[in-house]
Amino acid sequence: MITIYSDDHRAHHAAREMQGGVAVPAVEKPARLDSILARIGEVGLGPVRPPDGLGLDPVRRVHTAPYLAFLEQGHTLWSEQFGDIDAAPFSWPARGLRGIEPKSIEGRLGYYAGDVSTPITGGTWRAATAAADVAATGACLIADGARSAFALCRPPGHHASADVFNGYCYLNNAAIAAQVLCDRGAGRVAVLDIDYHHGNGTQDIFYRRGDVLFVSLHADPAVEYPFFLGHADEVGEGAGAGATLNLPMPLGTGYAVYGPALDRGLDAIDRFAPDAMVVSFGADTYDGDPISAFRLTGDDFSRLGQRIGRIARPVLVVMEGGYAVDALGRNTVNFLAALEGAQT
Ligand code: 6XA
Ligand code: ZN
């Protein structure tokens, strides 16, 4: 399987994130991709190539112009006031307040941010646009006839909506890829999100559309991030009614519960009969993940790949979360190799 990768991800390296009320070293860090690249080389998964340099057009199809302007300038404006440290919000337009974009950078951060765990650094724009390019390039390979491809994106994307950054995500790589597939002629695209966390950004972007099916397996948002979306009763609206399927599961879920949920998701995708599929892949469902509470094993990732590979659709895999760095390469490549091996 071909991997698309840009070294520009290294430009984004947050010093800290908030966890449990204190600032701790950020778990979403460059070493994650080193682990995956090393394993791709070890097992000879296939070639690794750079993105095509498709520019911002694919990004503009998904994100709003004011949001992109903010993301691009945000750290510069912040630095003029606070120096060269990572930017983070502290105040939000919560219930009872007015959601009007303020003028100051502190206010604008709160306006566009969903949480305090997603710092904007001096290199965030460069890394996030490179990751979007990686995803868009992968989608073009699929549109040109590849059966599978791996977009090795970082920072991840599935929490980012059209105009909100959150959950370590700034630009929604998977949504950008799905939109490229639509724009390149796919009449129907399915996005299958198997990260531990609900892909709230992707769901929101496609919620009112019937041409993109969103299926997500994740930890129950009643007890896990992102907390405010991802319940089973969210099924889409308007033209998108019936084109969202959420399969939340309890903390502690292992393959005995996860496997049947995956079958349900894949059955829905089969019925939808998409021309192509985007898999938002997170390895944070792993037993040893430091911020998550599912119990999948290394072998379970092979099982997932095999089951998804059998769906007989072209598949672009887009990297999302996974923070047990030592096991990340093995788990991810187990998934990819099994998926490719099962494809017909
Ligand atoms: C915020 C947790 C962010 C979740 C990031 C993630 N403390 N999303 O892995 O898929
Ligand atoms: Zn995650």
Side-chain angles (χ1 to χ4, degrees):
M1 185 185 303
I2 194 165
T3 296
I4 309 102
Y5 166 81
S6 165
D7 220 35
D8 283 0
H9 77 88
R10 294 184 199 285
H12 175 70
H13 187 186
R16 278 176 284 278
E17 65 165 278
M18 291 300 287
Q19 270 183 31
V22 289
V24 300
V27 297
E28 202 296 286
K29 56 190 176 191
R32 296 177 57 237
L33 296 205
D34 294 335
S35 168
I36 297 170
L37 278 178
R39 188 66 182 162
I40 287 172
E42 263 168 45
V43 308
L45 182 75
V48 177
R49 51 151 288 185
D52 280 337
L54 299 170
L56 284 180
D57 285 350
V59 177
R60 289 196 191 99
R61 297 281 290 138
V62 164
H63 294 282
T64 69
Y67 174 67
L68 293 173
F70 161 79
L71 260 193
E72 184 170 14
Q73 308 152 1
H75 191 265
T76 305
L77 297 171
W78 169 269
S79 299
E80 284 164 8
Q81 213 172 322
F82 299 99
D84 186 17
I85 53 168
D86 297 351
F90 65 88
S91 182
W92 280 266
R95 285 179 297 286
L97 302 179
R98 292 182 71 190
I100 301 170
E101 183 173 352
K103 289 201 169 61
S104 82
I105 184 60
E106 286 174 291
R108 292 174 74 200
L109 275 164
Y111 180 77
Y112 286 114
D115 64 34
V116 74
S117 300
T118 313
I120 298 186
T121 75
T124 297
W125 174 253
R126 180 163 154 216
T129 50
D133 195 20
V134 164
T137 300
C140 288
L141 294 180
I142 298 290
D144 289 341
R147 294 295 294 162
S148 63
F150 178 39
L152 182 43
C153 295
R154 183 184 166 273
H158 71 149
H159 295 299
S161 72
D163 63 352
V164 176
F165 66 101
N166 65 120
Y168 316 152
C169 301
Y170 308 85
L171 300 176
N172 194 316
N173 307 310
I176 290 165
Q179 186 61 48
V180 166
L181 286 165
C182 295
D183 291 343
R184 291 279 312 260
R188 293 156 88 81
V189 174
V191 180
L192 172 64
D193 190 322
I194 54 169
D195 186 278
Y196 170 77
H197 303 91
H198 178 249
N200 56 293
T202 314
Q203 173 172 312
D204 186 55
I205 287 164
F206 297 117
Y207 205 60
R208 285 157 209 88
R209 281 174 56 172
D211 59 336
V212 179
L213 174 71
F214 177 69
V215 175
S216 181
L217 281 73
H218 51 269
D220 187 347
V223 290
E224 184 55 277
Y225 189 89
F227 299 116
F228 303 107
L229 211 65
H231 298 276
D233 65 351
E234 297 155 16
V235 296
E237 266 172 25
T244 291
L245 174 63
N246 281 320
L247 299 163
M249 285 167 281
L251 304 187
T253 288
Y255 199 78
V257 169
Y258 199 94
L262 181 64
D263 286 344
R264 267 191 72 191
L266 290 173
D267 285 349
I269 291 173
D270 237 0
R271 285 195 300 276
F272 186 72
D275 299 304
M277 219 170 121
V278 174
V279 176
S280 266
F281 173 77
D284 43 9
T285 47
Y286 175 54
D287 189 29
D289 194 89
I291 66 164
S292 309
F294 277 4
R295 305 246 166 88
L296 299 193
T297 65
D299 288 341
D300 291 335
F301 285 99
S302 301
R303 293 187 182 97
L304 295 184
Q306 197 177 51
R307 184 69 184 83
I308 293 169
R310 282 201 220 115
I311 195 127
R313 311 274 168 194
V315 180
L316 175 67
V317 179
V318 175
M319 192 68 205
E320 302 287 358
Y323 310 98
V325 173
D326 291 344
L328 183 59
R330 183 200 60 188
N331 290 340
T332 303
V333 175
N334 278 1
F335 173 76
L336 297 170
L339 189 158
E340 187 178 34
Q343 278 192 318
T344 46

